[in-house]
Amino acid sequence: MIYSTTITVSPDVEKNQSAVKKEIGRTLSKNGVQNLPEDAEYVLEKRSVDARHGKIKIILRYKIYVGEKSGPKAFEPKWKKVSTEKTVVIVGSGPAGLFGALKLLEHGIKPNIIERGQDASTRKRDIAAISTQGKINPDSNYCFGEGGAGTFSDGKLYTRSNKRGDISGVLAIFNYFGADEKILSDSHPHIGTDRLPSIVQNMRKKILELGGEFHFGFRCVSLLTEDEKSTETTRTTGTDETSAPKKTVTGIVAENIITGEKIKFAGDAVLLATGHSAPDIYKMLAAVSPESLEAKTFAVGVRVEHPRATIDTIRYHNASNAKKLGAAEYRLVSQQDGRGVYSFCMCPGGFVVPSASGPDEIVVNGMSAAGRNSAWSNAAIVVETRPEDIPRNFAAEAQKLGCPALAGLLWRVWLEKLTSGHGEGQKAPAQRLVDFIDGKKSGTLPKSSYAPGLVSSRLDEWLPKSMVHRLKNAFHDFNREMRGFVCDEALIVAGETRTSTPVRILREKESGECVALKNLYPAGEGSGYSGGIVSSAMDGINICERICKKLAH
């Protein structure tokens, strides 16, 4: 027999397995299940923390196996050595690219991964140089390189995209390659930036072992295409429209970032999984097929940092509870003038890091190690930004480029350069939160985890006015929900601009193929159809499953 039950216990009881079993037995007895045998197996399925109402509660969901020889089945890989002549070129080695490659290997199809950045070990050195020297390698940084932008982040694996695919399957693969088993049961699982690099390296080793290829330091600069001989009828807006002949993508041209040598990589299909931080990819597509792009809603704002003890005290009502429960998390949402303002990528016990991908821009992000034990906690606080919110001059510029969908991207680039103009190198402009709300410059700034350093700046004077107005009002709402959130030690750092892409690469609903370019399959965050590590991994899996079906015919 298999029973399921959920119990609520205190943090102290959670650590006492005997007490937990007694509580499970007591709960099941209410439903007529009596006297569980000694050899029953207790498997934790989900763990969450309820810190409301001044009392900490741990919610545990268990499955209990009675008379069963084993609990849940262990993960059993279905990957096999490359066994066909089919090859899929994968542009980008983030979650969509890596998990897509593993899906291809289930069918014996060869993945050939082209990555503009470097392997994780080399990338670490490039990232260190940003903080120590203010030097940014535009192709190897927090955004580009093995594992994608998520490799040097908190490694959050929480997603609400449960209709997109098998979340537990993605978590099981991460666990197989070295992630802690806790990710299989935590309600908000994370891996940690100190562990993610080795995990993605293990994934690479497996892909290579089975016959896949990796090419680091090669930037995709163009697509190899050939014209179709006949026109086709497509359905993109609910009506049949006769389109111009589609181009068929047969591979890519990639440039060696060191030598400048250009090499052709041919394939039976191309998975485009380049992430949300590559404007050159969107411009490349706009030049070839502007109708394949559309503007989408995204979010921009600032990163807010508090002393960790402040957030722990607010959420747990006593900072000492953090010793039992770990650094506290929060999630905040407000509506201001028809736009959402919300927290994003909250990093408890983490660091604010420089995430620019060019020397003339400043972008910040958050990360934390597996232990989440730094002295600070931070989160992005961002404002929903719709295509109609983009200033007209950027729309006009995009129109001149022949692709109106690029307006939001052009505005984002402008904002990152504007932010750089108010900083110094990679020293980011910052302001005390109370001063931001009151509209005055901060005479001093509190200590911060941001290694390159900070420059005191009136963010409220130069950030877009509509953003400033919504942020100020939202901070008042947040302080009502989390009393003490607005305090003298709270710091805001500009700018948080890479939460998602402002551009979507349109694809056919059934095939996953780009609407205007045959054999090109956009996936992951850069496609505009996913956000975050797990949803991007599932998107890569889903699209590569469709590629496999097509290549099987």
Side-chain angles (χ1 to χ4, degrees):
M1 296 289 291
I2 301 175
Y3 303 102
S4 295
T5 190
T6 299
I7 62 173
T8 301
V9 298
S10 69
D12 291 330
V13 170
E14 180 193 18
K15 296 180 180 179
N16 185 330
Q17 283 302 300
S18 177
V20 167
K21 289 181 180 180
K22 285 182 179 179
E23 182 62 24
I24 290 173
R26 189 184 68 81
T27 303
L28 286 177
S29 68
K30 292 180 180 180
N31 297 313
V33 180
Q34 303 291 337
N35 302 321
L36 289 173
E38 288 294 326
D39 61 352
E41 183 178 358
Y42 298 77
V43 177
L44 177 63
E45 286 195 309
K46 190 66 67 177
R47 176 188 183 274
S48 58
V49 177
D50 183 350
R52 298 172 296 174
H53 312 305
K55 187 175 181 179
I56 306 299
K57 300 176 183 178
I58 309 297
I59 302 167
L60 305 172
R61 189 176 77 210
Y62 273 90
K63 266 192 177 177
I64 301 91
Y65 294 81
V66 178
E68 299 283 336
K69 292 184 178 180
S70 63
K73 291 183 178 179
F75 174 70
E76 297 179 359
K78 298 178 181 178
W79 313 310
K80 53 190 177 184
K81 281 187 175 291
V82 171
S83 57
T84 74
E85 295 181 355
K86 303 291 186 181
T87 297
V88 175
V89 176
I90 298 177
V91 188
S93 67
L98 290 174
F99 279 79
L102 292 172
K103 175 54 66 174
L104 294 174
L105 289 170
E106 288 184 11
H107 297 263
I109 296 173
K110 180 178 179 179
N112 191 0
I113 300 177
I114 316 300
E115 169 60 56
R116 70 193 298 166
Q118 297 298 328
D119 64 90
S121 297
T122 305
R123 191 179 171 194
K124 281 184 181 179
R125 295 193 292 271
D126 292 333
I127 285 173
I130 300 175
S131 294
T132 60
Q133 306 170 33
K135 179 182 177 182
I136 295 179
N137 181 331
D139 293 297
S140 181
N141 44 59
Y142 277 100
C143 296
F144 302 138
E146 184 175 18
T151 303
F152 295 92
S153 71
D154 189 75
K156 295 175 187 64
L157 304 179
Y158 176 65
T159 179
R160 291 185 178 85
S161 303
N162 52 13
K163 294 182 180 179
R164 293 175 180 264
D166 182 11
I167 295 173
S168 62
V170 171
L171 299 182
I173 291 174
F174 273 123
N175 174 236
Y176 178 86
F177 284 110
D180 195 291
E181 197 173 59
K182 290 192 298 184
I183 68 170
L184 304 178
S185 58
D186 281 353
S187 59
H188 287 180
H190 80 288
I191 296 177
T193 189
D194 50 337
R195 297 181 181 178
L196 263 167
S198 64
I199 290 169
V200 299
Q201 286 174 316
N202 290 339
M203 296 176 77
R204 165 166 49 100
K205 290 174 185 176
K206 176 58 67 174
I207 292 169
L208 291 172
E209 175 189 318
L210 296 174
E213 291 186 20
F214 278 81
H215 299 272
F216 292 109
F218 280 88
R219 183 195 309 116
C220 176
V221 293
S222 63
L223 301 174
L224 296 172
T225 62
E226 59 184 31
D227 290 330
E228 289 288 278
K229 294 180 180 179
S230 61
T231 61
E232 295 186 358
T233 299
T234 61
R235 182 185 293 272
T236 57
T237 60
T239 58
D240 290 334
E241 298 177 354
T242 301
S243 67
K246 279 188 178 182
K247 291 182 180 295
T248 298
V249 175
T250 59
I252 69 164
V253 177
E255 181 179 56
N256 185 303
I257 62 171
I258 296 175
T259 67
E261 178 186 11
K262 293 182 179 179
I263 297 178
K264 295 179 179 179
F265 293 93
D268 298 282
V270 174
L271 182 74
L272 192 66
T274 48
H276 56 40
S277 293
D280 54 319
I281 294 297
Y282 298 118
K283 291 177 180 178
M284 176 192 77
L285 289 172
V288 176
S289 175
E291 67 274 21
S292 66
L293 303 177
E294 76 171 2
K296 63 177 282 291
T297 296
F298 60 114
V300 293
V302 295
R303 190 152 282 264
V304 177
E305 183 174 59
H306 292 80
R308 174 185 158 186
T310 299
I311 299 301
D312 290 349
T313 299
I314 294 172
R315 299 299 288 169
Y316 294 151
H317 318 291
N318 186 330
S320 64
N321 281 324
K323 294 179 181 178
K324 302 175 184 177
L325 301 171
E329 300 180 58
Y330 63 79
R331 181 173 178 268
L332 297 166
V333 179
S334 176
Q335 283 291 322
Q336 300 295 332
D337 299 332
R339 297 291 182 269
V341 183
Y342 55 92
S343 60
F344 177 84
C345 185
M346 198 269 148
C347 296
F351 304 87
V352 180
V353 296
S355 293
S357 50
D360 57 349
E361 61 193 31
I362 288 180
V363 180
V364 296
N365 195 7
M367 73 172 193
S368 57
R372 289 179 163 176
N373 53 5
S374 89
W376 295 273
S377 291
N378 68 78
I381 303 294
V382 292
V383 179
E384 177 189 2
T385 305
R386 299 178 185 176
E388 59 265 33
D389 299 331
I390 304 302
R392 292 181 180 178
N393 57 309
F394 295 100
E397 185 180 349
Q399 192 69 44
K400 288 180 181 178
L401 293 174
C403 185
L406 295 179
L409 181 69
L410 297 174
W411 180 76
R412 188 185 79 177
V413 170
W414 167 83
L415 183 58
E416 292 170 354
K417 292 181 184 297
L418 175 67
T419 305
S420 177
H422 289 273
E424 294 177 10
Q426 283 303 301
K427 290 184 177 181
Q431 192 174 11
R432 289 182 187 266
L433 178 52
V434 291
D435 293 336
F436 176 78
I437 293 172
D438 292 341
K440 63 181 183 180
K441 186 174 182 178
S442 300
T444 61
L445 296 174
K447 289 184 178 180
S448 171
S449 66
Y450 186 72
L454 302 170
V455 176
S456 181
S457 173
R458 284 280 305 272
L459 307 187
D460 58 299
E461 287 188 332
W462 56 267
L463 285 174
K465 290 183 179 180
S466 61
M467 182 194 303
V468 170
H469 172 71
R470 290 185 170 105
L471 285 173
K472 284 185 177 183
N473 289 339
F475 282 130
H476 286 300
D477 287 349
F478 297 160
N479 195 56
R480 281 190 287 271
E481 183 173 344
M482 290 178 61
R483 186 64 61 186
F485 187 87
V486 175
C487 62
D488 195 52
E489 293 304 303
L491 178 73
I492 59 173
V493 186
E496 181 81 34
T497 54
R498 305 280 180 91
T499 62
S500 62
T501 173
V503 184
R504 177 176 286 116
I505 307 172
L506 295 170
R507 63 191 189 194
E508 301 285 357
K509 185 176 181 180
E510 295 301 322
S511 69
E513 195 175 52
C514 179
V515 297
L517 295 165
K518 293 190 69 173
N519 284 351
L520 181 70
Y521 294 82
E525 287 202 36
S527 71
Y529 289 93
S530 68
I533 293 173
V534 172
S535 65
S536 292
M538 290 192 296
D539 199 47
I541 291 170
N542 292 338
I543 296 301
C544 281
E545 183 66 52
R546 296 174 191 180
I547 292 174
C548 291
K549 287 180 179 178
K550 179 180 179 180
L551 296 184
H553 295 302

